[in-house]
Amino acid sequence: MHLTLNARQPFNFHSVVMSHGWVQLAPFRFDEEHFVLSYVDRLANGRVVDYSICEAPGGVTVDAAGRFSKAEQSEVTGKVEWMLALGQDLSLFYKVARMEPKLRHVRRLARGRVLRSPTFFEDVLKTILTTNTLWAATKRMNLNLIAAFGQPLLSSTNGSEGARAFPAPERIAQATEKTLRETVR
């Protein structure tokens, strides 16, 4: 599968990906040398896929191995648009930022977007894992959660061997409190 997605301008892929630490949390992977953001995702139909996102003129490209149905392509498109805030209108933000001398550069550098997970559920859990702890502990707890409850990627590419998708809410809901406590230690 190969998709080209447009972004509302101005857009800076680097700025979004490096906006905060989410890029360091699985199931994101980041190739700094080639500046490729990858993500292992569980689609609505249960299929686990690995897709790579790269900057392209006017937006990004999304690549994944194998055939994707129209519904799967649509789902991946929607998730990537959400993750990178491709359609977000930042014009009011830029207007206000121009009034502050220390922020006048934000439009020129296309700042303002923040990398998000493809689901609100994942963002909420990752946020909880950042509370009252060190960043190293957040990364460890996130990996433990994925290892214990995430669905595995069956065919790996681009360094994704052993990768798993972020756990579905239903999977975590089935766990006992004791199991969850032991998992996220």
PDB file of all heavy atoms in Angstrom, residues 97-131:
ATOM      1  N   ALA A  97       0.418  34.169  17.959  1.00  0.00           N
ATOM      2  CA  ALA A  97       1.862  34.011  18.164  1.00  0.00           C
ATOM      3  C   ALA A  97       2.643  35.194  17.593  1.00  0.00           C
ATOM      4  O   ALA A  97       3.678  35.577  18.153  1.00  0.00           O
ATOM      5  CB  ALA A  97       2.338  32.703  17.539  1.00  0.00           C
ATOM      6  N   ARG A  98       2.163  35.775  16.494  1.00  0.00           N
ATOM      7  CA  ARG A  98       2.836  36.944  15.902  1.00  0.00           C
ATOM      8  C   ARG A  98       2.903  38.111  16.871  1.00  0.00           C
ATOM      9  O   ARG A  98       3.779  38.961  16.771  1.00  0.00           O
ATOM     10  CB  ARG A  98       2.109  37.391  14.627  1.00  0.00           C
ATOM     11  CG  ARG A  98       2.614  36.769  13.372  1.00  0.00           C
ATOM     12  CD  ARG A  98       2.140  37.510  12.118  1.00  0.00           C
ATOM     13  NE  ARG A  98       0.745  37.908  12.133  1.00  0.00           N
ATOM     14  CZ  ARG A  98      -0.266  37.199  11.631  1.00  0.00           C
ATOM     15  NH1 ARG A  98      -0.021  36.042  11.062  1.00  0.00           N
ATOM     16  NH2 ARG A  98      -1.498  37.637  11.680  1.00  0.00           N
ATOM     17  N   MET A  99       1.965  38.183  17.802  1.00  0.00           N
ATOM     18  CA  MET A  99       1.926  39.293  18.759  1.00  0.00           C
ATOM     19  C   MET A  99       2.989  39.156  19.850  1.00  0.00           C
ATOM     20  O   MET A  99       3.288  40.118  20.541  1.00  0.00           O
ATOM     21  CB  MET A  99       0.540  39.396  19.389  1.00  0.00           C
ATOM     22  CG  MET A  99      -0.537  39.804  18.401  1.00  0.00           C
ATOM     23  SD  MET A  99      -2.099  40.044  19.254  1.00  0.00           S
ATOM     24  CE  MET A  99      -3.021  38.658  18.639  1.00  0.00           C
ATOM     25  N   GLU A 100       3.530  37.964  20.016  1.00  0.00           N
ATOM     26  CA  GLU A 100       4.557  37.725  21.028  1.00  0.00           C
ATOM     27  C   GLU A 100       5.911  37.605  20.338  1.00  0.00           C
ATOM     28  O   GLU A 100       6.124  36.676  19.552  1.00  0.00           O
ATOM     29  CB  GLU A 100       4.249  36.443  21.806  1.00  0.00           C
ATOM     30  CG  GLU A 100       5.360  35.936  22.693  1.00  0.00           C
ATOM     31  CD  GLU A 100       5.867  36.951  23.701  1.00  0.00           C
ATOM     32  OE1 GLU A 100       5.033  37.552  24.428  1.00  0.00           O
ATOM     33  OE2 GLU A 100       7.086  37.147  23.757  1.00  0.00           O
ATOM     34  N   PRO A 101       6.829  38.536  20.602  1.00  0.00           N
ATOM     35  CA  PRO A 101       8.126  38.506  19.912  1.00  0.00           C
ATOM     36  C   PRO A 101       8.850  37.162  19.993  1.00  0.00           C
ATOM     37  O   PRO A 101       9.472  36.739  19.024  1.00  0.00           O
ATOM     38  CB  PRO A 101       8.932  39.600  20.627  1.00  0.00           C
ATOM     39  CG  PRO A 101       7.895  40.545  21.147  1.00  0.00           C
ATOM     40  CD  PRO A 101       6.712  39.686  21.503  1.00  0.00           C
ATOM     41  N   LYS A 102       8.759  36.470  21.110  1.00  0.00           N
ATOM     42  CA  LYS A 102       9.453  35.185  21.263  1.00  0.00           C
ATOM     43  C   LYS A 102       8.797  34.059  20.465  1.00  0.00           C
ATOM     44  O   LYS A 102       9.365  32.978  20.343  1.00  0.00           O
ATOM     45  CB  LYS A 102       9.530  34.795  22.738  1.00  0.00           C
ATOM     46  CG  LYS A 102      10.416  35.720  23.544  1.00  0.00           C
ATOM     47  CD  LYS A 102      10.441  35.307  24.994  1.00  0.00           C
ATOM     48  CE  LYS A 102      11.292  36.273  25.798  1.00  0.00           C
ATOM     49  NZ  LYS A 102      11.274  35.954  27.219  1.00  0.00           N
ATOM     50  N   LEU A 103       7.607  34.295  19.941  1.00  0.00           N
ATOM     51  CA  LEU A 103       6.892  33.256  19.200  1.00  0.00           C
ATOM     52  C   LEU A 103       6.685  33.597  17.720  1.00  0.00           C
ATOM     53  O   LEU A 103       6.010  32.866  17.007  1.00  0.00           O
ATOM     54  CB  LEU A 103       5.527  32.990  19.852  1.00  0.00           C
ATOM     55  CG  LEU A 103       5.565  32.439  21.268  1.00  0.00           C
ATOM     56  CD1 LEU A 103       4.149  32.304  21.823  1.00  0.00           C
ATOM     57  CD2 LEU A 103       6.282  31.102  21.312  1.00  0.00           C
ATOM     58  N   ARG A 104       7.259  34.677  17.261  1.00  0.00           N
ATOM     59  CA  ARG A 104       7.051  35.089  15.863  1.00  0.00           C
ATOM     60  C   ARG A 104       7.551  34.064  14.853  1.00  0.00           C
ATOM     61  O   ARG A 104       7.091  34.030  13.731  1.00  0.00           O
ATOM     62  CB  ARG A 104       7.700  36.453  15.621  1.00  0.00           C
ATOM     63  CG  ARG A 104       6.924  37.554  16.259  1.00  0.00           C
ATOM     64  CD  ARG A 104       7.362  38.910  15.783  1.00  0.00           C
ATOM     65  NE  ARG A 104       6.584  39.916  16.485  1.00  0.00           N
ATOM     66  CZ  ARG A 104       7.076  41.040  16.964  1.00  0.00           C
ATOM     67  NH1 ARG A 104       8.346  41.324  16.775  1.00  0.00           N
ATOM     68  NH2 ARG A 104       6.305  41.875  17.595  1.00  0.00           N
ATOM     69  N   HIS A 105       8.465  33.220  15.263  1.00  0.00           N
ATOM     70  CA  HIS A 105       9.051  32.225  14.367  1.00  0.00           C
ATOM     71  C   HIS A 105       8.158  31.009  14.122  1.00  0.00           C
ATOM     72  O   HIS A 105       8.406  30.236  13.213  1.00  0.00           O
ATOM     73  CB  HIS A 105      10.386  31.742  14.945  1.00  0.00           C
ATOM     74  CG  HIS A 105      10.205  30.972  16.212  1.00  0.00           C
ATOM     75  ND1 HIS A 105       9.976  31.580  17.425  1.00  0.00           N
ATOM     76  CD2 HIS A 105      10.185  29.634  16.454  1.00  0.00           C
ATOM     77  CE1 HIS A 105       9.840  30.654  18.363  1.00  0.00           C
ATOM     78  NE2 HIS A 105       9.952  29.464  17.805  1.00  0.00           N
ATOM     79  N   VAL A 106       7.110  30.817  14.907  1.00  0.00           N
ATOM     80  CA  VAL A 106       6.373  29.544  14.859  1.00  0.00           C
ATOM     81  C   VAL A 106       5.710  29.287  13.509  1.00  0.00           C
ATOM     82  O   VAL A 106       5.682  28.148  13.051  1.00  0.00           O
ATOM     83  CB  VAL A 106       5.359  29.380  16.012  1.00  0.00           C
ATOM     84  CG1 VAL A 106       6.051  29.352  17.349  1.00  0.00           C
ATOM     85  CG2 VAL A 106       4.281  30.415  15.988  1.00  0.00           C
ATOM     86  N   ARG A 107       5.174  30.300  12.856  1.00  0.00           N
ATOM     87  CA  ARG A 107       4.554  30.067  11.547  1.00  0.00           C
ATOM     88  C   ARG A 107       5.609  29.721  10.502  1.00  0.00           C
ATOM     89  O   ARG A 107       5.460  28.798   9.721  1.00  0.00           O
ATOM     90  CB  ARG A 107       3.733  31.255  11.080  1.00  0.00           C
ATOM     91  CG  ARG A 107       2.974  30.928   9.791  1.00  0.00           C
ATOM     92  CD  ARG A 107       2.120  32.078   9.272  1.00  0.00           C
ATOM     93  NE  ARG A 107       1.173  31.647   8.285  1.00  0.00           N
ATOM     94  CZ  ARG A 107       1.473  31.187   7.076  1.00  0.00           C
ATOM     95  NH1 ARG A 107       2.737  31.049   6.716  1.00  0.00           N
ATOM     96  NH2 ARG A 107       0.534  30.828   6.237  1.00  0.00           N
ATOM     97  N   ARG A 108       6.702  30.465  10.514  1.00  0.00           N
ATOM     98  CA  ARG A 108       7.774  30.236   9.547  1.00  0.00           C
ATOM     99  C   ARG A 108       8.319  28.814   9.679  1.00  0.00           C
ATOM    100  O   ARG A 108       8.633  28.161   8.681  1.00  0.00           O
ATOM    101  CB  ARG A 108       8.890  31.268   9.761  1.00  0.00           C
ATOM    102  CG  ARG A 108      10.077  31.116   8.830  1.00  0.00           C
ATOM    103  CD  ARG A 108      11.114  32.217   9.025  1.00  0.00           C
ATOM    104  NE  ARG A 108      11.448  32.502  10.402  1.00  0.00           N
ATOM    105  CZ  ARG A 108      12.313  31.801  11.139  1.00  0.00           C
ATOM    106  NH1 ARG A 108      12.929  30.753  10.629  1.00  0.00           N
ATOM    107  NH2 ARG A 108      12.572  32.140  12.388  1.00  0.00           N
ATOM    108  N   LEU A 109       8.392  28.307  10.902  1.00  0.00           N
ATOM    109  CA  LEU A 109       8.885  26.950  11.147  1.00  0.00           C
ATOM    110  C   LEU A 109       7.759  25.909  11.216  1.00  0.00           C
ATOM    111  O   LEU A 109       8.022  24.737  11.475  1.00  0.00           O
ATOM    112  CB  LEU A 109       9.698  26.921  12.441  1.00  0.00           C
ATOM    113  CG  LEU A 109      10.944  27.816  12.458  1.00  0.00           C
ATOM    114  CD1 LEU A 109      11.613  27.782  13.824  1.00  0.00           C
ATOM    115  CD2 LEU A 109      11.914  27.417  11.362  1.00  0.00           C
ATOM    116  N   ALA A 110       6.532  26.358  10.990  1.00  0.00           N
ATOM    117  CA  ALA A 110       5.348  25.476  10.991  1.00  0.00           C
ATOM    118  C   ALA A 110       5.230  24.701  12.291  1.00  0.00           C
ATOM    119  O   ALA A 110       4.943  23.512  12.306  1.00  0.00           O
ATOM    120  CB  ALA A 110       5.356  24.551   9.785  1.00  0.00           C
ATOM    121  N   ARG A 111       5.423  25.379  13.395  1.00  0.00           N
ATOM    122  CA  ARG A 111       5.274  24.754  14.709  1.00  0.00           C
ATOM    123  C   ARG A 111       3.798  24.762  15.107  1.00  0.00           C
ATOM    124  O   ARG A 111       3.003  25.469  14.536  1.00  0.00           O
ATOM    125  CB  ARG A 111       6.072  25.528  15.769  1.00  0.00           C
ATOM    126  CG  ARG A 111       7.524  25.655  15.464  1.00  0.00           C
ATOM    127  CD  ARG A 111       8.277  24.424  15.890  1.00  0.00           C
ATOM    128  NE  ARG A 111       9.684  24.770  16.037  1.00  0.00           N
ATOM    129  CZ  ARG A 111      10.646  24.163  15.396  1.00  0.00           C
ATOM    130  NH1 ARG A 111      10.387  23.169  14.591  1.00  0.00           N
ATOM    131  NH2 ARG A 111      11.890  24.514  15.563  1.00  0.00           N
ATOM    132  N   GLY A 112       3.460  24.001  16.131  1.00  0.00           N
ATOM    133  CA  GLY A 112       2.103  24.030  16.668  1.00  0.00           C
ATOM    134  C   GLY A 112       1.393  22.698  16.676  1.00  0.00           C
ATOM    135  O   GLY A 112       0.530  22.458  17.505  1.00  0.00           O
ATOM    136  N   ARG A 113       1.741  21.813  15.765  1.00  0.00           N
ATOM    137  CA  ARG A 113       1.141  20.480  15.781  1.00  0.00           C
ATOM    138  C   ARG A 113       1.911  19.590  16.751  1.00  0.00           C
ATOM    139  O   ARG A 113       3.109  19.769  16.957  1.00  0.00           O
ATOM    140  CB  ARG A 113       1.186  19.853  14.383  1.00  0.00           C
ATOM    141  CG  ARG A 113       0.256  20.504  13.388  1.00  0.00           C
ATOM    142  CD  ARG A 113       0.433  19.849  12.019  1.00  0.00           C
ATOM    143  NE  ARG A 113      -0.535  20.317  11.069  1.00  0.00           N
ATOM    144  CZ  ARG A 113      -0.345  21.346  10.244  1.00  0.00           C
ATOM    145  NH1 ARG A 113       0.785  22.029  10.280  1.00  0.00           N
ATOM    146  NH2 ARG A 113      -1.284  21.701   9.393  1.00  0.00           N
ATOM    147  N   VAL A 114       1.223  18.611  17.317  1.00  0.00           N
ATOM    148  CA  VAL A 114       1.830  17.687  18.259  1.00  0.00           C
ATOM    149  C   VAL A 114       1.515  16.263  17.806  1.00  0.00           C
ATOM    150  O   VAL A 114       0.372  15.954  17.467  1.00  0.00           O
ATOM    151  CB  VAL A 114       1.275  17.923  19.687  1.00  0.00           C
ATOM    152  CG1 VAL A 114       1.828  16.910  20.660  1.00  0.00           C
ATOM    153  CG2 VAL A 114       1.578  19.339  20.150  1.00  0.00           C
ATOM    154  N   LEU A 115       2.528  15.410  17.807  1.00  0.00           N
ATOM    155  CA  LEU A 115       2.323  14.007  17.453  1.00  0.00           C
ATOM    156  C   LEU A 115       1.363  13.367  18.445  1.00  0.00           C
ATOM    157  O   LEU A 115       1.516  13.511  19.657  1.00  0.00           O
ATOM    158  CB  LEU A 115       3.662  13.253  17.476  1.00  0.00           C
ATOM    159  CG  LEU A 115       3.607  11.768  17.141  1.00  0.00           C
ATOM    160  CD1 LEU A 115       3.160  11.550  15.701  1.00  0.00           C
ATOM    161  CD2 LEU A 115       4.973  11.130  17.375  1.00  0.00           C
ATOM    162  N   ARG A 116       0.371  12.685  17.898  1.00  0.00           N
ATOM    163  CA  ARG A 116      -0.615  11.985  18.729  1.00  0.00           C
ATOM    164  C   ARG A 116      -0.623  10.512  18.345  1.00  0.00           C
ATOM    165  O   ARG A 116      -0.221  10.143  17.249  1.00  0.00           O
ATOM    166  CB  ARG A 116      -2.024  12.552  18.473  1.00  0.00           C
ATOM    167  CG  ARG A 116      -2.144  14.028  18.736  1.00  0.00           C
ATOM    168  CD  ARG A 116      -3.538  14.522  18.497  1.00  0.00           C
ATOM    169  NE  ARG A 116      -3.764  14.814  17.084  1.00  0.00           N
ATOM    170  CZ  ARG A 116      -4.718  15.644  16.644  1.00  0.00           C
ATOM    171  NH1 ARG A 116      -5.525  16.246  17.493  1.00  0.00           N
ATOM    172  NH2 ARG A 116      -4.876  15.855  15.371  1.00  0.00           N
ATOM    173  N   SER A 117      -1.121   9.712  19.254  1.00  0.00           N
ATOM    174  CA  SER A 117      -1.369   8.306  18.940  1.00  0.00           C
ATOM    175  C   SER A 117      -2.611   8.253  18.052  1.00  0.00           C
ATOM    176  O   SER A 117      -3.390   9.195  18.021  1.00  0.00           O
ATOM    177  CB  SER A 117      -1.611   7.523  20.234  1.00  0.00           C
ATOM    178  OG  SER A 117      -0.498   7.623  21.077  1.00  0.00           O
ATOM    179  N   PRO A 118      -2.835   7.136  17.360  1.00  0.00           N
ATOM    180  CA  PRO A 118      -3.998   7.075  16.474  1.00  0.00           C
ATOM    181  C   PRO A 118      -5.337   6.993  17.204  1.00  0.00           C
ATOM    182  O   PRO A 118      -6.374   7.186  16.597  1.00  0.00           O
ATOM    183  CB  PRO A 118      -3.755   5.830  15.635  1.00  0.00           C
ATOM    184  CG  PRO A 118      -2.787   5.019  16.390  1.00  0.00           C
ATOM    185  CD  PRO A 118      -1.978   5.966  17.213  1.00  0.00           C
ATOM    186  N   THR A 119      -5.306   6.704  18.503  1.00  0.00           N
ATOM    187  CA  THR A 119      -6.561   6.658  19.256  1.00  0.00           C
ATOM    188  C   THR A 119      -6.437   7.476  20.532  1.00  0.00           C
ATOM    189  O   THR A 119      -5.355   7.577  21.132  1.00  0.00           O
ATOM    190  CB  THR A 119      -6.955   5.214  19.655  1.00  0.00           C
ATOM    191  OG1 THR A 119      -6.001   4.716  20.590  1.00  0.00           O
ATOM    192  CG2 THR A 119      -7.055   4.302  18.429  1.00  0.00           C
ATOM    193  N   PHE A 120      -7.545   8.025  20.944  1.00  0.00           N
ATOM    194  CA  PHE A 120      -7.603   8.776  22.189  1.00  0.00           C
ATOM    195  C   PHE A 120      -7.269   7.854  23.362  1.00  0.00           C
ATOM    196  O   PHE A 120      -6.575   8.248  24.304  1.00  0.00           O
ATOM    197  CB  PHE A 120      -8.999   9.398  22.342  1.00  0.00           C
ATOM    198  CG  PHE A 120      -9.142  10.278  23.541  1.00  0.00           C
ATOM    199  CD1 PHE A 120      -8.462  11.475  23.626  1.00  0.00           C
ATOM    200  CD2 PHE A 120      -9.970   9.911  24.585  1.00  0.00           C
ATOM    201  CE1 PHE A 120      -8.582  12.291  24.733  1.00  0.00           C
ATOM    202  CE2 PHE A 120     -10.105  10.709  25.707  1.00  0.00           C
ATOM    203  CZ  PHE A 120      -9.402  11.911  25.776  1.00  0.00           C
ATOM    204  N   PHE A 121      -7.729   6.620  23.302  1.00  0.00           N
ATOM    205  CA  PHE A 121      -7.453   5.637  24.352  1.00  0.00           C
ATOM    206  C   PHE A 121      -5.948   5.486  24.582  1.00  0.00           C
ATOM    207  O   PHE A 121      -5.468   5.517  25.716  1.00  0.00           O
ATOM    208  CB  PHE A 121      -8.081   4.283  23.977  1.00  0.00           C
ATOM    209  CG  PHE A 121      -7.735   3.173  24.917  1.00  0.00           C
ATOM    210  CD1 PHE A 121      -8.325   3.098  26.174  1.00  0.00           C
ATOM    211  CD2 PHE A 121      -6.817   2.198  24.556  1.00  0.00           C
ATOM    212  CE1 PHE A 121      -8.002   2.071  27.053  1.00  0.00           C
ATOM    213  CE2 PHE A 121      -6.488   1.168  25.427  1.00  0.00           C
ATOM    214  CZ  PHE A 121      -7.088   1.105  26.684  1.00  0.00           C
ATOM    215  N   GLU A 122      -5.203   5.331  23.510  1.00  0.00           N
ATOM    216  CA  GLU A 122      -3.750   5.164  23.635  1.00  0.00           C
ATOM    217  C   GLU A 122      -3.109   6.415  24.220  1.00  0.00           C
ATOM    218  O   GLU A 122      -2.230   6.330  25.091  1.00  0.00           O
ATOM    219  CB  GLU A 122      -3.136   4.829  22.280  1.00  0.00           C
ATOM    220  CG  GLU A 122      -1.650   4.564  22.342  1.00  0.00           C
ATOM    221  CD  GLU A 122      -1.061   4.144  21.016  1.00  0.00           C
ATOM    222  OE1 GLU A 122      -1.771   3.540  20.185  1.00  0.00           O
ATOM    223  OE2 GLU A 122       0.143   4.405  20.814  1.00  0.00           O
ATOM    224  N   ASP A 123      -3.530   7.581  23.774  1.00  0.00           N
ATOM    225  CA  ASP A 123      -2.979   8.826  24.321  1.00  0.00           C
ATOM    226  C   ASP A 123      -3.273   8.958  25.814  1.00  0.00           C
ATOM    227  O   ASP A 123      -2.417   9.379  26.592  1.00  0.00           O
ATOM    228  CB  ASP A 123      -3.528  10.045  23.575  1.00  0.00           C
ATOM    229  CG  ASP A 123      -2.780  10.341  22.287  1.00  0.00           C
ATOM    230  OD1 ASP A 123      -1.623   9.901  22.145  1.00  0.00           O
ATOM    231  OD2 ASP A 123      -3.353  11.031  21.425  1.00  0.00           O
ATOM    232  N   VAL A 124      -4.475   8.584  26.221  1.00  0.00           N
ATOM    233  CA  VAL A 124      -4.828   8.670  27.643  1.00  0.00           C
ATOM    234  C   VAL A 124      -3.953   7.723  28.467  1.00  0.00           C
ATOM    235  O   VAL A 124      -3.395   8.120  29.501  1.00  0.00           O
ATOM    236  CB  VAL A 124      -6.328   8.369  27.868  1.00  0.00           C
ATOM    237  CG1 VAL A 124      -6.637   8.152  29.341  1.00  0.00           C
ATOM    238  CG2 VAL A 124      -7.177   9.503  27.314  1.00  0.00           C
ATOM    239  N   LEU A 125      -3.810   6.478  28.017  1.00  0.00           N
ATOM    240  CA  LEU A 125      -2.984   5.535  28.781  1.00  0.00           C
ATOM    241  C   LEU A 125      -1.526   5.990  28.842  1.00  0.00           C
ATOM    242  O   LEU A 125      -0.895   5.913  29.902  1.00  0.00           O
ATOM    243  CB  LEU A 125      -3.072   4.134  28.196  1.00  0.00           C
ATOM    244  CG  LEU A 125      -4.312   3.342  28.564  1.00  0.00           C
ATOM    245  CD1 LEU A 125      -4.217   1.908  28.071  1.00  0.00           C
ATOM    246  CD2 LEU A 125      -4.569   3.343  30.046  1.00  0.00           C
ATOM    247  N   LYS A 126      -1.001   6.464  27.732  1.00  0.00           N
ATOM    248  CA  LYS A 126       0.386   6.940  27.736  1.00  0.00           C
ATOM    249  C   LYS A 126       0.537   8.146  28.657  1.00  0.00           C
ATOM    250  O   LYS A 126       1.554   8.277  29.346  1.00  0.00           O
ATOM    251  CB  LYS A 126       0.842   7.259  26.316  1.00  0.00           C
ATOM    252  CG  LYS A 126       1.113   6.008  25.493  1.00  0.00           C
ATOM    253  CD  LYS A 126       1.577   6.350  24.100  1.00  0.00           C
ATOM    254  CE  LYS A 126       1.956   5.099  23.327  1.00  0.00           C
ATOM    255  NZ  LYS A 126       2.402   5.407  21.954  1.00  0.00           N
ATOM    256  N   THR A 127      -0.454   9.006  28.684  1.00  0.00           N
ATOM    257  CA  THR A 127      -0.402  10.158  29.590  1.00  0.00           C
ATOM    258  C   THR A 127      -0.403   9.697  31.045  1.00  0.00           C
ATOM    259  O   THR A 127       0.359  10.200  31.867  1.00  0.00           O
ATOM    260  CB  THR A 127      -1.581  11.111  29.315  1.00  0.00           C
ATOM    261  OG1 THR A 127      -1.492  11.573  27.959  1.00  0.00           O
ATOM    262  CG2 THR A 127      -1.554  12.305  30.255  1.00  0.00           C
ATOM    263  N   ILE A 128      -1.246   8.726  31.356  1.00  0.00           N
ATOM    264  CA  ILE A 128      -1.273   8.181  32.720  1.00  0.00           C
ATOM    265  C   ILE A 128       0.098   7.601  33.078  1.00  0.00           C
ATOM    266  O   ILE A 128       0.591   7.789  34.194  1.00  0.00           O
ATOM    267  CB  ILE A 128      -2.388   7.119  32.872  1.00  0.00           C
ATOM    268  CG1 ILE A 128      -3.766   7.799  32.800  1.00  0.00           C
ATOM    269  CG2 ILE A 128      -2.226   6.331  34.159  1.00  0.00           C
ATOM    270  CD1 ILE A 128      -4.924   6.838  32.647  1.00  0.00           C
ATOM    271  N   LEU A 129       0.733   6.938  32.131  1.00  0.00           N
ATOM    272  CA  LEU A 129       2.040   6.334  32.391  1.00  0.00           C
ATOM    273  C   LEU A 129       3.140   7.378  32.602  1.00  0.00           C
ATOM    274  O   LEU A 129       4.220   7.034  33.094  1.00  0.00           O
ATOM    275  CB  LEU A 129       2.434   5.382  31.259  1.00  0.00           C
ATOM    276  CG  LEU A 129       1.564   4.136  31.091  1.00  0.00           C
ATOM    277  CD1 LEU A 129       2.020   3.324  29.883  1.00  0.00           C
ATOM    278  CD2 LEU A 129       1.554   3.292  32.348  1.00  0.00           C
ATOM    279  N   THR A 130       2.896   8.618  32.252  1.00  0.00           N
ATOM    280  CA  THR A 130       3.892   9.679  32.464  1.00  0.00           C
ATOM    281  C   THR A 130       3.740  10.353  33.820  1.00  0.00           C
ATOM    282  O   THR A 130       4.596  11.135  34.218  1.00  0.00           O
ATOM    283  CB  THR A 130       3.798  10.785  31.385  1.00  0.00           C
ATOM    284  OG1 THR A 130       2.563  11.491  31.532  1.00  0.00           O
ATOM    285  CG2 THR A 130       3.937  10.238  29.993  1.00  0.00           C
ATOM    286  N   THR A 131       2.670  10.052  34.525  1.00  0.00           N
ATOM    287  CA  THR A 131       2.341  10.767  35.756  1.00  0.00           C
ATOM    288  C   THR A 131       3.192  10.303  36.937  1.00  0.00           C
ATOM    289  O   THR A 131       3.257   9.103  37.237  1.00  0.00           O
ATOM    290  CB  THR A 131       0.843  10.588  36.079  1.00  0.00           C
ATOM    291  OG1 THR A 131       0.080  10.994  34.934  1.00  0.00           O
ATOM    292  CG2 THR A 131       0.437  11.426  37.273  1.00  0.00           C
TER     293      THR A 131
END
